[in-house]
Structure formats: C-alpha cells, structure tokens
Amino acid sequence: MQDGSTGVDLAQVVMSAAVGLAVTDLRGRLLRLNDAFAELLHRSVDDLQGRATAEVLSSPEGAHDVDGTVEQLLQGIPTVTGDVLVHRRDGSVLRGQTLSSLATTGAGTSVVLLQLLDAGTRGRRRPVGDHDALTHLRSRSAVLADLTTRLPARSGLVGVLTCDLDRFRVVNESLGHRVGDEVLVGVARRLLAGVRCGDVVGRLGDDEFVVVLGGLTDVAEAVDVAHRLTRSLAAPLEIEGTDGPREIRCAVSTGLVVVDLGAPPCPKAGPGVPALDAAALLRDANTALDAAKAAGGGCCRVFTGAMREEVIRRLTVENDLRRALERGELRVHYQPVVRLADHRRTGFEALVRWQHPDRGLLLPAEFLDVAEDCGLVTAIDAVVLEEALDFLVRHPGDRVAVNTSARRLDGTFATAVARGLRRRGLAPERLAVELLETSLVSGDATTDGELADLARLGVAVLLDDFGTGYSALSYLRRLPVSGLKLDRSFVSDLPDDVTSDRIAAAVVGLADSFGLSSICEGVETAAQAAHLAAQGWESAQGFHFGVPAPEESWFPRVGAPVPTVQVSA
Ligand code: C2E
Ligand code: CA
Ligand code: CA
C-alpha cells in the first residue's frame, strides 16, 4: 500500500521495522512475520512462516495462549498483552511480551497482528514507569492498566495473585541491599518461569509481586499456579556474595482472588457503580495474602467473602474506637479478687468495656484484637490506668490490678505509672499490673527494663493467663514477677478432670517455690473454690465470687438505689 502524497509503502516499513511483528490467522498460524520477529527467536523468517504461534512461543513451562487471546479480542478488547518465555534452540531464553490486536486483510479476513517484545531490553519500547527498573517486571500501574483492559470482557475467569516474601527485611538488613536486590531478581525470574504463557507478572513494590492469570478454566487451575509458585520460591536461591556464592531461602506467602467476569454484578453495587475494578481485585488478593501471613506464611490463601467482612469489621471497629477514645465511651468494670482461705475481698481487677452508641456495652473480645493490631490498645490501657488510679483515690482501703498490653512496655510505662501514683499520693503497693505470659518470654531489653523499674517502684507484676504461653520458665528467675494467675481454662473442668487438677497443682507448687502469689481465675462453683483452696491457692476470681461490674455496684452511693449487677463476661 503506497501513500501517493508521501511515497511511503506501509507494508515495507512494517516488515523492515526493528520491532518484532507478525500476522497470524485466528488459530495462531504465522502468515507473515518480519526479520525482527525472527531475530528475537534466533530463527529465520522462512523457518517460522506457516508454523503455529503456540509452538514457536513456548517453553517447557507453557505456551502463548492463542485461544484465550483471540477470545478476548473477539469480545472487543482492543489489545491483549501477555508474558512469554521461549527456550530458543541454541539454549538461550527469551523473556518476552506479546501485544495482540485484531486487523483485517484487504480480502476482509480477520487476522491477529502480534507484536513481540524482548522484556530484557528495558526502557525502549514503553513509556518510563511501565517497568520496574530492578526486575524488569511490569510496574504496579502497568499491571493495573492491563487488568483494567481485561475486565470489560463478559465471560471467563480472571485471577489475581499477590506474593510477598516472608522475612525479606531480615535478608536486607543482615546481608545488605545488594544481596536483597539479587534475591528480588531471582524471585522475579522464578515467577516468570512458573507462570503460564499469557500470564502477566509485575512488581508492586519492595518485596511484593503480582501475577494476573487469564483464561482460567476453574479456580483450581489458579490455585495450582499459586502452589507451584510457592513451592518453586521456597527452594534456595544461589546468590553471589563477596565471599563466594551463598544459598538464601526466602519463603513466600500468596493471596489469590478469582472472579468470574460472566457472573451478574453484585446487587449491592447499585446503578452506576462498577461491579469490579482492578484496584479492588488487588486489594482482595492482598486481604487473602494477609490471611496467608497470619497463618504463619509460606502458604497460599484464596479470598473469600468472609475475609472481606472481617476487613470491614476491623476498619469499622478501628474508626469507631478512635471516636470512642475522643468522646470518652470507654468504661471500667471491676471484678473482685478474694482470699480463698476466708473468701474476703482483697482487691479488684479492672476490665475495660465500651459503651458503644449503637451496639450497647461491648466486651473486650469485640474490639481488643483490632486495638492490638492498630496500636490503639495503648491508648485504651492509658484510659483504664487513669480510671483505676482515680478509683483507688475514692476507695482508700482497696487494691486494683490493671491489664496491660505488651505494646505499652515501650520504655515509658513505668515512668507514667510512677507519675500517676505520685500525683494522687497513692502507695504503689495498691496497684498491680497484669501482663500476658507470652509478652515476657522474648527477653526484650526494653520490656525487662520496664519490669525492673516497676519492681523498684513497688508495683506488683502478675503473669496473666498463666499456662497458655510458651512457658520457657527460665524467665521466672530472670524477671521480677510477683504472682501467677492460672488461666481459667484449667479451672473450668475442676474438680473432676485429672489433667486440669495436675496442672493446677503443679502451677501452685511453682508459685510457692518461687515465692510468688497465686491467683486462680474463672472460679464458677463452690466445688472449684474448695478444690483450689485445698491445693493451696491463695486467691481467686470468678463468677462464684462476683461478676465484673461498675464501681457503683460495689460502692453504692449513699441514698442512691443499688444498681442490679449484670453479668458482663
Ligand atoms: P483476663 O485478664 O483473663 O480477664 C478475665 C476475663 O475472664 C474477663 O473477661 C472476665 O470477665 C472473665 N471472667 C471472670 N470470671 C469468670 C468466670 O468465672 N467465668 C468465665 N467464663 N469468665 C470469667 P473480659 O472482661 O471479657 O476480658 C477479656 C480479656 O480482655 C481479659 O482477660 C484481658 O486479657 C483483656 N482486657 C480486659 N481489659 C483490658 C484492658 O484494660 N487492657 C488490656 N490490654 N486488656 C484488657
Ligand atoms: Ca487479667
Ligand atoms: Ca486471665
């Protein structure tokens, strides 16, 4: 085709271009190709002409997905992109990308114009920002753009898989950023080798990668890819270091979401709201990835509706909690602690409650996990501590124990406690701090310092939920702990259960031999109280002695009606 005004023969220009171009029929047979296309494959034009694209663009890991590409083109998607890995006959490997679009011949037949790019020659063929400079994989925005072009198709399954290396920070910090970079490049190579042809691999940032899986037959196929990648990445990578090669193991966690583009849009989406968008898919894959990490890493999780609900719950609780702290919606209930010898009250444990404007009075189980994760727990603990100290001022004969998250032991806690006591003129012995056993076993220097400061101050430290932690008991010798609180799971089956009986007896023996006070939790019956008293336990808490209740329940104001105590545990 010659343009009369410029004298340019378009066909000739295309054939001589330095860009790999080919024309195939709708079954993928190569009808015409230019020299650049053949050169990329280290073959001749004559050798390739007439062959099937799936055979030419293939490796032991898979082949260019002709049917999937053509199907998407026929559905009206203007260009379909994919990654291909080609094992050339001379043993070299081409990491390439394909860009396919529909065209019509002079005779009116539909053909595919196939562009082949070498992903190794970065920066030349795409605008800057499309590729990650280190791994040459596509950038986050390029992957999102690719995904966006796929979504309008009204049939087929699309999968998005996000991957995150477990403990990559340790590699970077201990072996240096150069080794870290090599690990990332090695991971990128393995991902490319492990995906099917036509899948798109990108780097989202840091040690996060993404794979877009097209043309899936079912969810199981996507899960297979995820497992294959997880396995291949778990094998050690050989990295060249300054003192020779070294093997580095970097397990990976993956999160997968698969959507059926043919499924009717979610009714909740409403008119005008897109049912699916690329960013939402990525977010769902990341939610599944978080679940994989929470399960210990090195595994894959598939996104479910329940995960989305949990994310929404957490976000709602976090937002509401911030407001609750500003508006003073937190309350403190007090549960009595009694001496088992005579059932006389010796003090209280302060337990937080949330007077939610819509949901009523909430127990810690409804919000404390979120508060721990987002860090708000330290603000909650601070409110409860202040409230408990004010309580001690109002009730001079009493003692209070407050629960404290390990997060609060950041080097400022003991000082804050000392200041609170001093300001109110309170004796430190009237306050105790309860810490979960699990928060102490790490042997962290800041935590140890806080405990030593509390001990010097004269504030007792009690180990809460004792028996449920890892119990590397050596810390009992190292740390200035004052008492053990037996977890209520060991009390609930007493007095009949033999194992519980032995554990309770062993723990009280441990407390005695270390000179620690012993408190058992969750005592609900007179039989349990009698059994534990006989074993030698000093104090107890539980519904049998009193449920957690507001201050007025224990100290009715003169003239005011005594409030009815509601069970709040
Ligand atoms: P915990 O420290 O082990 O507190 C004892 C829990 O057992 C309380 O649940 C209490 O209501 C419940 N309980 C007491 N006696 C009985 C009984 O006889 N039977 C049964 N079945 N349960 C009993 P609650 O108030 O729901 O608190 C749950 C957990 O939340 C606490 O367990 C504690 O770990 C945490 N927590 C509570 N308040 C705070 C706080 O202010 N700060 C922090 N960081 N954690 C808190
Ligand atoms: Ca406690
Ligand atoms: Ca406890």
Side-chain angles (χ1 to χ4, degrees), residues 349 403 434 464 485 521:
E349 175 175 3
N403 294 281
E434 298 193 4
D464 210 349
K485 293 190 80 170
E521 299 185 304

Side-chain angles (χ1 to χ4, degrees), residues 284-306:
D284 289 349
N286 277 334
T287 298
L289 175 63
D290 288 344
K293 290 261 175 201
C299 60
C300 175
R301 286 286 179 272
V302 182
F303 179 78
T304 61

Side-chain angles (χ1 to χ4, degrees), residues 31 35 161 183 237 283 297 323 365 384 413 531:
L31 304 173
D35 288 341
L161 183 78
V183 169
L237 283 160
R283 194 192 52 217
R323 187 202 53 202
V384 175
F413 180 61
H531 191 85

Side-chain angles (χ1 to χ4, degrees), residues 207-252:
D207 57 340
E208 289 169 38
F209 297 87
V210 61
V211 182
V212 178
L213 306 161
L216 295 165
T217 39
D218 52 21
V219 178
E221 192 182 350
V223 174
D224 277 351
V225 176
H227 284 158
R228 196 165 65 227
L229 293 178
T230 313
R231 264 198 314 273
S232 94
L233 290 170
L237 283 160
E238 189 158 299
I239 303 290
E240 202 57 47
T242 40
D243 42 1
R246 69 186 313 157
E247 284 196 342
I248 294 178
R249 276 175 201 276
C250 225
V252 67

